[in-house]
Structures are given as C-alpha cells and as structure tokens.
Amino acid sequence: MRLHSASMSELHAFVTVVRTGSFSRAAEELCVTQGAISRAVARLESHYGKVLLRRSAHQMVLTQSGEQLLEAVREPLAVIEAASEALRVGPSQTMELVLSVVPTLASVWLVPRLPDFQARHPEVRVRFVPYRKDEDFSGPTPHAAILTGLGPSQWPTWECDYLIGREVVPVCHPARAARQRWRRPADLVAEPLLAHSTSPGNWAQWLRAAGVEGMEPELSTVFDQVSILIQAALADMGVALVQRCLVRAELEAGRLVTPFDLPISLQRGYFLCRLPGRHTAASLPVFRQWLLEMARQDIGSMPV
C-alpha cells in the first residue's frame, strides 16, 4: 500500500515553525540547523504539491493548505511525542505535569476524577502550584492553567480549550423553594440574589436567556469565592447562580434545589490554557485529551 503521509521529522519541523513563528527558533528547539528546517518544510511542500507557508522578510503566513495540515497533525504529533517519551523513560520513571487550577474547580470537579487519569497514565505525576487570578505565564510558571474567563477572546495569544462551566443554574435551599413556590423565572428577582464577584452580570444574562425582559436584578450579596457562594445558598441566604458542574453533588443529594432547571449557557467558563512555545510538557497532550473527555461526559449528562 502506498503511504500518503509525510515523514514525522518533516511534520515536526512544520508544526514547530508555525508554533514558534520562526525557522531559527524551530531549529533551536529541535536541535538542528536552520537549513535543515527549511529543507524539511520544502520537502513537505513538494510532497503535497502545495505551498504551506508564505514567507517574507517580516512575516510568515499559513496558506489554506497549511492551516488544513496544521489542524490535522498538531494534536496527533503531540500525543505520539508524549507516548514516545513515556515508553523511553520506562515504568520506574515519571513525567511531571505542573498545573495551576481555580481552587473550587480543583477540589469539587478535577481532583475527584484524577484517580482515573492516574490509572490510565501512571507514568505522569501531576503537581499543583498556587493558583493566580492574574496568571500571565511569566517567570517560573505551570505547564498549563485551568482558569475562568472568556477564552480566546480574553487570551488571544494563548492556546485555550473550553472545558466546562458555561452551564449555569439557579440554586437555593429546599425550604426556600417550598415556601416561595415560584411559577416563572421573573419571580426570582424579588429574592435575595447571590453572585460571584468576577461575574456580577451573570444574573442579568441568565434572566434574559430565561425570557425575562425589562427587569434589572438587584444583587443582595457578592462573594469572591464560588465555594462561599455555594455555602451561602446552603445556609438559605438567598438564590445563587452557579456553574452546574460545581453543585452536582448538592443537587443529587437534595441539599440544594433548582427552581428553574433551564439549559442556559453563559459566556464565561473554565478553560485549559497554555502559552505556545514555552513551558511545554510532553505529558500535557494526554492530560488534555483526558480532561476534554471528562468534560464532555459531564456536560453530556446534564439536562437538555
């Protein structure tokens, strides 16, 4: 059978040039000469019979064919590289993955799932470093961070994968729901509304998405940690708007209830973020794949 794929070295050269934005930096990273990188990309273009990169003195731009190839091979190459490193280090050695994660998501959602990752990939040791709200990947930093925000529109120079957290739901103590017996989402405006300090506009967005027009909610109490926001709802201080993934256990146990279980998603969510070309870890691609799988499973089990 005739193989249509190019060689691994040529594909690695191409992906590294695109990621670093420079033939010289790609050569330095791959421990070869700049000429070797240029020849590898030229062989790749000859193999496919298409121009992949348009180069000038000041910039380098991917063609449509180059974008198509990059999208197809970037992640598979990273996974192959991680698997190759794991085989070379052997079962008695480990690869380290350093993470920074929003504390509430780490304790409620990520850590309970980590034994599954460790069972699948015993060669990877996950180490957590303190979370920074203003993470900018400068100085000594983690390989990746799971942050809350708007994703690529907020961090345009980073590589970001949406995980979970856009799916929000109003929750309250069961006794409050029994007392009030709300009939429509607009009835919640009269309640003490609890919110998070990083997203005080979530209530207004949720009400609009629920079909409530012309009503501006007045927030009762704003907290700077989601864990405290959830505790406030458990203490019957009011109605909190929170990410469903963070209150699944409370809802299933009946400690909290949702007066209106609507499939509403907002803009903010949790993203796996990393800075291209720096602080890379061979174990990151397999962790990313696993993390996306866990998120898909959780979102798939939510009401629609």
Side-chain angles (χ1 to χ4, degrees), residues 67-85:
E67 290 178 353
Q68 182 181 354
L69 180 64
L70 179 67
E71 182 66 25
V73 304
R74 178 167 47 190
E75 289 303 327
L77 282 177
V79 172
I80 292 170
E81 186 66 15
S84 300
E85 181 175 348

Side-chain angles (χ1 to χ4, degrees), residues 76-100:
L77 282 177
V79 172
I80 292 170
E81 186 66 15
S84 300
E85 181 175 348
L87 287 171
R88 292 190 67 184
V89 299
S92 62
Q93 296 175 282
T94 61
M95 295 185 293
E96 187 174 68
L97 177 63
V98 183
L99 292 176
S100 170

Side-chain angles (χ1 to χ4, degrees), residues 32-103:
V32 296
T33 65
Q34 182 174 336
I37 294 292
S38 297
R39 289 190 294 272
V41 174
R43 288 195 302 271
L44 199 61
E45 292 180 322
S46 176
H47 176 82
Y48 291 115
K50 297 179 185 297
V51 175
L52 303 174
L53 291 168
R54 297 196 185 279
R55 303 176 286 278
S56 69
H58 303 291
Q59 64 178 348
M60 179 175 57
V61 179
L62 276 172
T63 65
Q64 185 175 358
S65 297
E67 290 178 353
Q68 182 181 354
L69 180 64
L70 179 67
E71 182 66 25
V73 304
R74 178 167 47 190
E75 289 303 327
L77 282 177
V79 172
I80 292 170
E81 186 66 15
S84 300
E85 181 175 348
L87 287 171
R88 292 190 67 184
V89 299
S92 62
Q93 296 175 282
T94 61
M95 295 185 293
E96 187 174 68
L97 177 63
V98 183
L99 292 176
S100 170
V101 185
V102 177

Side-chain angles (χ1 to χ4, degrees), residues 172-253:
C172 65
H173 193 281
R176 180 176 293 270
R179 290 194 307 268
Q180 305 297 59
R181 298 185 182 276
W182 302 292
R183 293 188 299 175
R184 52 184 186 155
D187 295 338
L188 296 180
V189 176
E191 296 296 318
L193 300 182
L194 313 177
H196 192 273
S197 59
T198 62
S199 50
N202 276 5
W203 264 115
Q205 294 180 44
W206 185 88
L207 287 167
R208 284 195 297 270
V212 180
E213 299 292 342
M215 300 182 70
E216 284 299 322
E218 183 176 341
L219 303 182
S220 171
T221 311
V222 177
F223 301 93
D224 66 352
Q225 294 185 33
V226 178
S227 58
I228 302 177
L229 175 62
I230 295 170
Q231 288 300 316
L234 288 166
D236 198 14
M237 290 180 59
V239 184
L241 191 64
V242 296
Q243 296 95 329
R244 177 183 283 276
C245 63
L246 301 182
V247 289
R248 178 184 291 274
E250 286 76 10
L251 291 172
E252 291 178 349

